[in-house]
Amino acid sequence: MRVLIIGGGIGGLTAALSLHAAGIDCVIAESAVELRPLGVGINLQPHAVRELTELGLGDELAETGVPTGSMNFTDRFGGTILSLPRGRFAGYNWPQYSVHRGELQMLLLSAVRERLGAGAVRTGLRLEDFERYETGPAGPAGTTGVTVSLRDVRTGGHLKETADVLVGADGIHSAVRARLHPGDGPLLWNGIRMWRGTAEGDPFLDGTTMIVAGSNLSAKFVVYPISRARARGRVLINWVAEVMTAEPGPVPAADWSRPGRLEDVLPHFDGWRLPYLDVPALISGSERILEYPMVDKDPLPRWGAGRVTLLGDAAHPMYPVGANGGSQAVLDARVLARELAGAADPAAGLAAYEKERRTATTGLVLAHRELPMERTIALVAERAPGGFDDIADVLTPKELAEMAAAQQRITDVDVSALNARSSWNARYAGT
């Protein structure tokens, strides 16, 4: 079996490592001419860290990421509304990591090139079209599978590739998805504008805490470290500012690398000084600010057809409010390889993969749309506009319990089930 993966992001690279571990030949076609460590911070949940650890990347992850200890929800003054333990502190056998997205991608890229060879990731190639040949001698030279048309973005030249399976891991603007679903709906914006950046600063609290302050129904600020202590004891701090700026509706595109302007974001956080962090100073100290809308797409009734499927954001783009998007791409990749390794027929393996992952991710996409934490945090601001000393004076125990359950629904998996589940590695080996 030979698998062609379109897209060299976190999902595509993890898929290549997983397929290789299963003894399945694969190659990645990536439209970027050069893969560079771009982006800002993301989180890897324990269910994803487990899978990457079982791919032999545990030590590299530990050297790269910060093991997140807790996620603290606060008002704009820093008063703690709810604190949720994360990773090992929540009882998982694996940590949660806060990590720079670009560094994680480079870690995965290095592993792919080391294990699969330097030619396993072919850059500068953009998918233009594909043809599926499911049975019999219908394809070129009697082949069964997929013939893919690629364009070299450097020369404009065209080339053909054949594969038994085609996987679209090419992100929210997926060319594979567009060809599988030509009537697919637009990107849907909920009206929340996001600004993101990183800046060096002093460690705050215990150095492993993620802070979620305020509500994006007005203004929300998420901040967490993504590096260990550097020179002079400073760390790299990732921040996300979210503000409701427009009415919800469809948008034609979302550019993740669009530069943002300091003068657009800073006024929303004028006077925000948490007891342990000067929010305006952190924003102002960022070398680069990125801006984009919080968007997703309606879940698909099916992902693929025959020997073609989707993975990661190409299959299920979701709001980044559960710190779970990248982790779901990792799970997609592992289940894809697991099912292809155990299937007598590639199409049957892809069908089993889609059945398991589409059900799970559709539920997450819809749950993220509820913005489950925002209304409770906005309620705190309504009841205690000047801050509070004890959250018990503001929210009832029932309201706090409902808030915790809502967040865990979009972030976590069952601790006991994950810890007790046997490794999928045996399935990759065909045993």
Side-chain angles (χ1 to χ4, degrees), residues 66 80 90 150 157 174 216 244 253-254 257 271 317 325 364 369 392 396:
V66 175
T80 298
L150 301 169
S174 169
N216 57 28
M244 183 73 74
S257 60
L364 280 173
R369 284 184 176 178
T396 67

Side-chain angles (χ1 to χ4, degrees), residues 323-342:
N324 208 5
S327 296
Q328 293 303 312
V330 170
L331 294 186
D332 287 351
R334 292 287 279 170
V335 174
L336 172 76
R338 186 194 75 195
E339 294 303 329
L340 284 177

Side-chain angles (χ1 to χ4, degrees), residues 80 388-397 400:
T80 298
F388 58 85
D389 294 322
D390 187 343
I391 191 59
D393 298 329
V394 184
L395 295 179
T396 67
L400 282 170

Side-chain angles (χ1 to χ4, degrees), residues 367-381:
H368 280 64
R369 284 184 176 178
E370 298 173 11
L371 299 176
M373 310 297 290
E374 308 310 321
R375 290 172 182 82
T376 305
I377 297 174
L379 183 62
V380 172

Side-chain angles (χ1 to χ4, degrees), residues 64-252:
T64 304
V66 175
T68 309
S70 65
M71 179 186 293
N72 289 5
F73 294 88
T74 79
D75 66 359
R76 58 160 296 181
F77 305 103
T80 298
I81 300 169
L82 178 71
S83 181
L84 296 175
R86 308 304 307 146
R88 293 188 187 276
F89 301 93
Y92 292 100
N93 290 341
W94 300 268
Q96 172 179 326
Y97 284 121
S98 298
V99 63
H100 191 289
R101 183 198 176 281
E103 291 185 9
L104 174 62
Q105 185 180 13
M106 293 303 101
L107 184 159
L108 295 169
L109 177 63
S110 176
V112 168
R113 287 175 168 163
E114 178 183 342
R115 299 177 190 185
L116 280 71
V121 181
R122 301 170 59 188
T123 59
L125 296 178
R126 187 182 303 278
L127 180 136
E128 293 201 325
D129 206 352
F130 58 83
E131 293 180 88
R132 296 181 291 118
Y133 304 100
E134 303 300 339
T135 58
T143 60
T144 300
V146 188
T147 298
V148 182
S149 300
L150 301 169
R151 180 172 62 86
D152 190 320
V153 301
R154 292 157 294 203
T155 66
H158 296 265
L159 63 152
K160 299 277 189 180
E161 289 283 340
T162 59
D164 297 291
V165 169
L166 175 66
V167 177
D170 47 343
I172 199 167
H173 297 299
S174 169
V176 179
R177 177 172 174 145
R179 282 153 182 78
L180 282 168
H181 304 278
D184 188 25
L187 292 173
L188 300 174
W189 183 27
N190 63 6
I192 296 170
R193 178 74 58 187
M194 304 176 66
W195 292 269
R196 303 195 67 171
T198 60
E200 278 202 352
D202 294 325
F204 58 89
L205 297 177
D206 64 356
T208 68
T209 298
M210 174 188 293
I211 297 296
V212 182
S215 164
N216 57 28
L217 300 181
S218 52
K220 174 180 175 181
F221 198 75
V222 182
V223 61
Y224 52 89
I226 55 172
S227 78
R228 311 295 176 90
R230 300 181 172 190
R232 307 181 308 281
R234 310 269 279 178
V235 297
L236 188 63
I237 299 173
N238 181 82
W239 61 265
V240 188
E242 304 174 13
V243 180
M244 183 73 74
T245 62
E247 291 296 320
V251 291

